[in-house]
Amino acid sequence: MSAPPPVPAGTIETLGNGDTARASLETLRSEIAKAVVGQDPAVTGLVVALLCRGHVLLEGVPGVAKTLLVRALAASLELDTKRVQFTPDLMPSDVTGSLVYDARTAEFSFQPGPVFTNLLLADEINRTPPKTQSSLLEAMEERQVTVDGTPRLLPDPFLVAATQNPVEYEGTYPLPEAQLDRFLLKLTVSLPSRDEEINVLTRHSDGFDPRDLKSAGIRPVAGTADLEAARDAVARTKVSPEITGYVVDICRATRESPSLSLGVSPRGATALLSTARAWAWLTGRDYVIPDDVKALALPTLRHRIQLRPEAEMEGVTPDSVITAVLAHVPVPR
């Protein structure tokens, strides 16, 4: 499984006191579907990240609608959005902003970069050198940018949705481990099935233009108030001590795997618990069950572990290691 499964139909209910947070999030998914065929697991993963105040890394070969998926998400939200095309000559200040000298006032003033937004699309993030990739570290973790010793807070909500091509492709730079760990989820955007690809071609032959999402009928259906209400509800989702222990046991088991040189850190365990709570709430429950943990284990943990070279040569993958761990760790009753 490359990403969280899609939310089952009919499980989203409106909240009390007239709040329609969950209904808005279900509508958000249907709005994105107007532009993107299939990829329901990736759409669900983006919604989970919004609920958890996390960031998302979308990986897939060129041409599978990674950028279109994030643009459709942005068009469906009443949030400020910006896009940065990462290239080999991009500088850190092109992302964070810089001090600019004003000859009229003889003073330096700060010019904010595109990172000062609610939803930042970092397109092809691994086509820029690690120095520029790392310019996002403080923004992603601390929700602020420090320039010339002065910290500047970023807007809330703030989400980085980054796309990348597989690292074996020409002209790519692997993301630093520290930055990978800042992404809540790593979602694999797979090639469409035959029927889905026929649907894509049919839409294009009928006049669909991926550069003009308004013509596809996409409209903003959720905003800051919906996200805040949904996040409050997720925070009230109950987690039993047995579930907490189950998450810890899974993460500790990765540290003992002979195929790995680096297992999941406590930060990863915290992330898995958070995404499982969001998934439980999305599926209509106010408590977490083991299946919620299993559903989010792959996208939450796959980028937080490192294979030993000999295991990689034998064809072992991060997903296969995590799947084996899930099969062997006892499930609480």
Side-chain angles (χ1 to χ4, degrees):
M1 181 175 60
S2 61
V7 177
T11 60
I12 306 297
E13 302 172 357
T14 57
L15 303 177
N17 301 323
D19 195 345
T20 59
R22 276 196 281 190
S24 295
L25 292 177
E26 184 174 70
T27 307
L28 176 68
R29 296 174 61 250
S30 63
E31 286 295 306
I32 294 174
K34 294 178 181 178
V36 180
V37 176
Q39 307 299 356
D40 283 346
V43 173
T44 300
L46 286 167
V47 174
V48 168
L50 284 169
L51 294 175
C52 297
R53 302 178 187 271
H55 310 288
V56 177
L57 181 63
L58 295 163
E59 183 179 85
V61 299
V64 291
K66 300 185 299 295
T67 302
L68 179 61
L69 176 60
V70 180
R71 289 180 55 237
L73 173 69
S76 304
L77 292 169
E78 294 177 327
L79 301 175
D80 182 52
T81 63
K82 290 186 175 68
R83 178 189 180 198
V84 178
Q85 183 68 48
F86 280 73
T87 57
D89 60 348
L90 194 73
M91 300 296 292
S93 59
D94 295 329
V95 178
T96 60
S98 59
L99 294 176
V100 177
Y101 181 73
D102 189 340
R104 293 174 300 179
T105 62
E107 294 180 348
F108 286 93
S109 61
F110 177 68
Q111 297 297 319
V115 74
F116 286 86
T117 187
N118 297 123
L119 175 59
L120 177 67
L121 169 55
D123 209 2
E124 295 190 300
I125 190 173
N126 63 333
R127 288 203 180 278
T128 197
K131 180 179 180 180
T132 304
Q133 293 172 1
S134 298
S135 66
L136 284 174
L137 275 175
E138 182 185 13
M140 294 171 66
E141 182 65 20
E142 306 295 336
R143 313 279 169 160
Q144 68 177 26
V145 168
T146 301
V147 177
D148 196 32
T150 303
R152 293 173 170 85
L153 294 177
L154 296 174
D156 184 37
F158 173 68
L159 169 72
V160 174
T163 71
Q164 73 168 13
N165 297 313
V167 293
E168 64 269 15
Y169 273 61
E170 183 178 354
T172 60
Y173 300 82
L175 293 178
E177 289 81 3
Q179 185 172 358
L180 278 174
D181 202 36
R182 264 61 174 190
F183 284 100
L184 180 72
L185 299 171
K186 180 182 178 181
L187 306 175
T188 301
V189 183
S190 58
L191 289 166
S193 66
R194 182 177 185 275
D195 289 342
E196 289 172 341
E197 196 163 359
I198 289 174
N199 192 350
V200 171
L201 268 63
T202 300
R203 289 189 180 191
H204 280 261
S205 65
D206 290 341
F208 171 71
D209 183 358
R211 293 173 292 274
D212 184 10
L213 295 180
K214 288 185 178 180
S215 65
I218 295 182
R219 57 187 177 85
V221 294
T224 303
D226 297 304
L227 288 178
E228 287 302 320
R231 288 167 174 174
D232 289 343
V234 170
R236 295 192 298 270
T237 302
K238 301 178 183 66
V239 180
S240 67
E242 291 78 14
I243 293 296
T244 302
Y246 183 50
V247 170
V248 170
D249 290 342
I250 290 172
C251 295
R252 292 180 67 86
T254 65
R255 302 168 201 163
E256 300 169 0
S257 172
S259 298
L260 299 181
S261 59
L262 178 66
V264 178
S265 68
R267 190 208 306 268
T270 301
L272 181 55
L273 187 60
S274 297
T275 57
R277 292 178 83 179
W279 172 248
W281 180 79
L282 277 172
T283 51
R285 279 178 283 102
D286 63 352
Y287 57 92
V288 180
I289 61 175
D291 283 349
D292 300 324
V293 178
K294 291 181 179 180
L296 272 298
L298 284 179
T300 307
L301 304 181
R302 60 161 59 102
H303 55 297
R304 304 175 190 272
I305 60 177
Q306 285 186 2
L307 294 170
R308 295 187 183 277
E310 56 270 26
E312 197 167 3
M313 292 179 62
E314 294 173 359
V316 177
T317 65
D319 283 15
S320 65
V321 173
I322 296 171
T323 300
V325 166
L326 292 175
H328 287 90
V329 173
V331 179
R333 301 295 181 184

